[in-house]
């Protein structure tokens, strides 16, 4: 706790720096990063609604839920994975906790996600989905997702220091994750076994949580909740372990 | 007088090799073909010294003697392979000018960021910011992007932040030789003020004249080994002798 208080100021200053640099002090810069997932959504909707939309209610919401979660995941991991390497000039010369850089990079992705989420609820309202108290439960997958993204960011940023081609590799892997996350298609026509296999993908699980609440208006099972938390904690645990173990090794590799 | 900094038998094995900047493919290939080599060399080898309140230690030695590595260990950036560092008090390290500064941010934003890195609170920075900026003589530039400053101005800012925050242990790596003559005189005066405040200062310099003028103790390193530690005047004489012999 004392440590949190001590580095609170540093954290704020790093967030401020990352924000200033990312948006170059322009409002349009910020608008662009919200517009980006919306444009993806628009294109997917134009192309896919003909195939999947005709026999499904609220296909736009279905699609948006998928894009909302995935674009946050992709944004947070891609920004986060460079956080260590791009701050090498700092941590090789000043004694600061290295995870600070990742946390600060995650804040701007989280804010983007929050803005997109507001637009998502706007779409939900326009599409005529009834709001209910169950929507409050969405806090749960959001917290899991935030922790999961931080964990993945820790792992990836450390790997990026050791292996410089990680960036390209991750580009490919995150594409693959996108395809198996059922963002624009449904998995109903697969056998039950394959449907269960989809749950091995944390991103799919979080997307599914959103869809269950918003479109189906049902609360997921307890096991579903436990699995969602387990993915987040496992990613976070591995990330924290790597940072702890290699804390003083990173500087040999930059 | 109590001991502020105690360094006991420190050794650091530095990792070297062309393993940096390689990708996963290259790494796998080298492991498969047994071409992956990591060399270790002793950057610092068995160094011990103790500093008391008010001491000013100068570290001398040729390039590659392990001076900067030793400072990094004292600052807590690196961990020693063996040995221990015992520090009683805040450590403020100024290892490289401009490190940790961001060219796109303004001078003021950079000062706050740097202050935060050194472990200070926002309240403290609000209180001392005017002092920092006036010591660095950069009042007119505080809202300019940092990259527009000249390198001398940048180092003035760096020095002002590090020294005005009153650390118990101040570490400086070849930074005193920056700025124009007037600023150098001012920073030397400031250093004396800190030392009189009961702090310990360590600095690396290639200027023997500067070390003679400021330090009361000197540590002489060569290839990571401790050649001598003790009274400044005596060791400076020996080091100067060593340098002149080498030149002949």
């Amino acid at each position: 706790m004392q440590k949190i208080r001590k580095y609170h100021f540093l954290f704020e200053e790093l967030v401020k720096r990352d924000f200033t640099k990312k948006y170059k002090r322009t409002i349009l810069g910020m608008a662009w990063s919200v517009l980006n997932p919306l444009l993806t959504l628009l294109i997917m909707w134009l192309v896919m609604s003909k195939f999947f939309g005709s026999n499904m209610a609220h296909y736009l919401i279905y699609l948006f839920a998928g894009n909302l979660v995935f674009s946050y995941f992709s944004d947070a991991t891609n920004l986060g994975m460079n956080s260590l390497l791009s701050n090498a000039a700092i941590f090789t010369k000043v004694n600061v906790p290295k995870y600070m850089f990742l946390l600060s990079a995650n804040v701007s992705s989280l804010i983007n996600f929050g803005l997109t989420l507001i637009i998502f609820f706007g779409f939900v309202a326009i599409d005529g989905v009834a709001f209910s108290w169950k929507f409050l439960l969405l806090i749960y997958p959001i917290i899991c997702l935030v922790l999961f993204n931080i964990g993945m960011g820790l792992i990836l940023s450390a790997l990026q220091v050791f292996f410089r081609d990680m960036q390209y590799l991750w580009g490919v892997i995150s594409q693959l994750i996108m395809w198996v996350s059922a963002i624009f298609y449904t998995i109903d026509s697969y056998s039950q076994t394959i449907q269960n296999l989809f749950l091995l993908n944390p991103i799919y699980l979080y997307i599914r949580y959103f869809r269950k609440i918003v479109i189906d208006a049902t609360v997921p099972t307890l096991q579903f909740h436990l699995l969602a938390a387990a993915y987040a904690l496992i990613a976070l645990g591995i990330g924290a372990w790597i940072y702890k173990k290699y804390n003083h090794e990173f500087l040999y590799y930059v | 007088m109590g001991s502020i900094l105690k360094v006991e038998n420190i050794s650091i094995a530095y990792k070297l090799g062309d393993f940096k900047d390689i990708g996963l493919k290259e790494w796998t290939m080298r492991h498969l073909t047994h071409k992956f080599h990591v060399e270790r060399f002793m950057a610092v080898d068995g160094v011990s010294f103790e500093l008391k309140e008010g001491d000013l230690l100068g570290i001398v030695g040729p390039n590659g003697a392990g001076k900067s590595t030793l400072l990094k260990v004292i600052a807590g950036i690196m961990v020693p392979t063996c040995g221990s560092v015992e520090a009683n008090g805040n450590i403020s390290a100024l290892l490289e000018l401009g490190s940790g500064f961001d060219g796109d941010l303004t001078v003021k934003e950079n000062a706050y960021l740097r202050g935060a890195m050194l472990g200070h609170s926002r309240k403290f920075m609000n209180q001392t910011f005017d002092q920092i900026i006036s010591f660095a003589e950069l009042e007119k530039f505080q809202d300019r992007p940092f990259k527009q400053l000249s390198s001398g101005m940048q180092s003035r800012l760096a020095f002002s932040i590090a020294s005005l925050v009153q650390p118990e242990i101040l570490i400086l790596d070849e930074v005193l030789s920056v700025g124009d003559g007037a600023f150098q005189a001012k920073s030397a005066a400031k250093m004396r003020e800190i030392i009189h405040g009961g702090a310990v200062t360590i600095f690396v310099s290639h200027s023997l004249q500067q070390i003679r003028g400021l330090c009361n103790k000197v540590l002489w390193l060569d290839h990571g080994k401790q050649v001598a530690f003790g009274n400044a005047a005596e060791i400076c004489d020996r080091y100067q002798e060593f340098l002149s012999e080498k030149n002949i």
Side-chain angles (χ1 to χ4, degrees):
Chain A
M1 275 318 280
Q2 209 179 1
K3 225 176 168 182
I4 292 177
R5 199 170 310 143
K6 187 177 172 195
Y7 290 110
H8 184 244
F9 177 40
L10 173 62
F11 181 63
E12 282 172 20
E13 289 298 315
L14 283 173
V15 168
K16 224 190 266 174
R17 179 199 66 174
D18 287 350
F19 239 77
T20 321
K21 281 177 72 88
K22 190 171 174 200
Y23 301 120
K24 308 265 183 243
R25 302 174 204 274
T26 60
I27 306 274
L28 212 69
M30 199 145 174
W32 175 247
S33 31
V34 177
L35 220 60
N36 201 11
L38 289 181
L39 286 174
T40 320
L41 177 72
L42 178 71
I43 292 182
M44 276 196 176
W45 186 71
L46 285 176
V47 177
M48 300 296 176
S49 62
K50 204 167 163 11
F51 301 106
F52 301 99
S54 49
N55 50 9
M56 193 204 292
H58 304 302
Y59 179 64
L60 183 65
I61 302 301
Y62 184 88
L63 199 59
F64 202 155
N67 268 308
L68 175 74
V69 171
F70 183 78
S71 65
Y72 172 39
F73 168 71
S74 148
D75 192 41
T77 48
N78 280 308
L79 262 181
M81 78 182 300
N82 282 316
S83 63
L84 205 50
L85 204 55
S86 61
N87 286 298
I90 295 177
F91 76 75
T92 54
K93 302 286 188 275
V94 188
N95 188 15
V96 286
K98 300 178 184 66
Y99 55 83
M100 281 285 164
F101 305 120
L102 176 85
L103 292 184
S104 125
N106 263 283
V107 171
S108 59
S109 328
L110 183 63
I111 290 173
N112 274 342
F113 171 72
L115 293 174
T116 320
L117 187 68
I118 293 169
I119 299 171
F120 173 71
F121 284 129
F123 273 59
V124 169
I126 293 168
D127 210 34
V129 179
F131 279 78
S132 78
W133 64 270
K134 287 175 190 152
F135 277 36
L136 289 175
L137 287 176
L138 289 176
I139 296 282
Y140 184 80
I142 290 174
I143 291 174
C144 289
L145 187 59
V146 169
L147 296 179
F148 181 75
N149 284 345
I150 291 175
M152 288 304 291
L154 289 171
I155 298 170
L156 289 167
S157 60
L159 284 174
Q160 168 83 340
V161 170
F162 297 124
F163 309 113
R164 297 299 158 82
D165 55 0
M166 220 41 225
Q167 207 174 348
Y168 309 107
L169 221 65
W170 182 245
V172 176
I173 295 171
S174 66
Q175 273 292 308
L176 287 176
I177 294 174
M178 198 271 277
W179 286 103
V180 296
S181 295
I183 289 173
F184 54 83
Y185 57 91
T186 60
I187 61 167
D188 300 342
S189 50
Y190 291 112
S191 71
Q192 192 57 43
T193 329
I194 295 182
Q195 287 194 26
N196 288 341
L197 282 178
F198 268 90
L199 295 177
L200 288 175
N201 172 5
I203 297 307
Y204 174 73
L205 191 85
Y206 298 134
I207 294 175
R208 179 115 180 91
Y209 197 117
F210 267 80
R211 287 171 178 163
K212 275 194 174 183
I213 293 279
V214 177
I215 301 174
D216 306 342
T218 53
V219 179
T221 60
L222 179 66
Q223 286 96 312
F224 201 91
H225 280 88
L226 291 177
L227 198 57
Y231 284 142
L233 294 178
I234 289 170
L236 201 60
I238 296 175
W241 176 78
I242 295 179
Y243 261 58
K244 206 171 162 63
K245 180 153 190 230
Y246 292 102
N247 189 21
H248 292 284
E249 289 281 305
F250 290 133
L251 90 162
Y252 292 114
Y253 291 84
V254 294
Chain B
M1 282 206 288
S3 139
I4 301 244
L5 184 75
K6 199 171 177 186
V7 169
E8 253 177 304
N9 201 21
I10 275 192
S11 295
I12 303 139
Y14 211 95
K15 279 190 189 175
L16 266 192
D18 54 353
F19 59 84
K20 294 176 186 186
D21 295 318
I22 65 169
L24 191 59
K25 280 176 300 190
E26 184 73 19
W27 185 83
T28 321
M29 278 310 290
R30 286 198 205 164
H31 271 273
L32 288 176
T33 53
H34 301 285
K35 275 185 188 157
F36 190 78
H37 299 297
V38 175
E39 280 169 46
R40 282 166 180 277
F41 90 104
M42 299 307 273
V44 175
D45 194 357
V47 171
S48 312
F49 60 87
E50 191 178 348
L51 296 177
K52 292 187 162 53
E53 239 173 84
D55 274 347
L56 209 169
L57 175 74
I59 303 181
V60 293
N63 289 331
K67 303 183 293 284
S68 299
T69 310
L70 180 63
L71 293 187
K72 279 188 183 178
V73 172
I74 297 169
I77 296 163
M78 290 174 82
V79 281
T81 315
C82 58
S84 68
V85 178
E86 217 177 286
N88 295 315
N90 283 325
I91 298 179
S92 180
L94 197 48
L95 292 185
E96 200 173 273
L97 290 163
S99 66
F101 287 109
D102 196 298
D104 292 329
L105 299 184
T106 65
V107 169
K108 188 171 181 177
E109 286 164 340
N110 265 306
Y112 273 72
L113 181 61
R114 187 59 184 238
M117 279 180 210
L118 296 176
H120 301 292
S121 64
R122 181 179 302 280
K123 204 175 127 211
F124 184 87
M125 286 307 289
N126 284 338
Q127 284 165 358
T128 48
F129 178 71
D130 287 338
Q131 220 180 323
I132 290 172
I133 210 78
S134 74
F135 188 85
E137 299 162 27
L138 291 172
E139 290 97 336
K140 284 181 194 153
F141 297 91
Q142 49 174 296
D143 294 318
R144 289 266 199 99
F146 188 73
K147 62 183 171 197
Q148 287 181 8
L149 299 186
S150 73
S151 58
M153 287 172 171
Q154 296 184 350
S155 46
R156 259 155 47 190
L157 181 67
F159 181 86
S160 304
I161 298 169
S163 66
L164 284 183
V165 289
Q166 292 156 337
E168 272 104 17
I169 300 168
L170 178 66
I171 299 174
L172 302 166
D173 189 0
E174 291 178 70
V175 289
L176 280 185
S177 47
V178 293
D180 45 25
F183 192 79
Q184 271 185 40
K186 205 165 124 184
S187 61
K190 183 74 203 172
M191 294 254 309
R192 286 202 188 88
E193 196 188 309
I194 296 171
I195 299 154
H196 289 307
V200 156
T201 307
I202 301 175
F203 84 99
V204 165
S205 173
H206 284 290
S207 154
L208 264 182
Q209 196 195 343
Q210 206 172 40
I211 289 196
R212 272 178 202 276
L214 282 168
C215 303
N216 65 336
K217 287 192 177 152
V218 168
L219 174 70
W220 174 5
L221 295 178
D222 197 356
H223 291 95
K225 295 246 189 319
Q226 179 169 345
V227 180
F229 168 70
N231 184 278
E234 181 200 323
I235 294 174
C236 281
D237 287 342
R238 278 174 57 193
Y239 184 61
Q240 203 151 24
E241 214 174 286
F242 163 81
L243 285 182
S244 53
E245 269 172 31
K246 223 171 81 174
N247 282 339
I248 301 163

